[in-house]
Amino acid sequence: MSPLFRRSGDKSAKTEPGERLVTLIRKPGCHLCDDAQAVIEKVCGELGVPWDQKDISEDKALYDRYWEQIPVVLVDGEQHTFWRVNAERLRKALTD
């Protein structure tokens, strides 16, 4: 189902992993960001989930919102976690 037609609160429609999107919000020179990226690459690679990354130093809105929480992981545009990424928790979020 297209994200445009899926109601955000509708848990009855199961989203397949390939329809999900993980976004890593990071900053340059951040070792926690590098650790988070390694977890995301592994989990998303195993599940076939696309992911992208955004640099807060290039986006004032992201900087203002997330500066103290970097790295931040979004799943389908919603904040999933920050600072440390747990592979099992991310996997569960992407497959439930």
Side-chain angles (χ1 to χ4, degrees):
M1 178 184 291
S2 167
L4 296 174
F5 297 107
R6 186 182 321 119
R7 286 185 262 170
S8 61
D10 184 6
K11 299 296 183 188
S12 63
K14 184 167 173 72
T15 305
E16 296 300 318
E19 296 175 346
R20 312 305 298 269
L21 176 64
V22 174
T23 303
L24 171 62
I25 301 172
R26 60 173 301 147
K27 65 180 181 174
C30 169
H31 73 280
L32 288 178
C33 299
D34 295 338
D35 294 346
Q37 182 172 332
V39 172
I40 291 167
E41 285 177 342
K42 180 179 189 307
V43 172
C44 289
E46 290 171 356
L47 297 175
V49 173
W51 72 277
D52 65 357
Q53 58 185 324
K54 298 184 186 224
D55 182 342
I56 63 164
S57 68
E58 297 175 359
D59 186 318
K60 180 160 177 27
L62 290 177
Y63 181 92
D64 291 344
R65 184 168 183 180
Y66 296 118
W67 173 251
E68 294 181 355
Q69 297 178 343
I70 292 300
V72 175
V73 178
L74 308 178
V75 174
D76 300 331
E78 299 292 325
Q79 187 168 345
H80 169 72
T81 194
F82 61 96
W83 294 338
R84 301 252 182 223
V85 182
N86 178 284
E88 289 308 311
R89 183 170 177 258
L90 179 59
R91 186 175 284 106
K92 183 172 177 10
L94 295 172
T95 57
D96 279 352

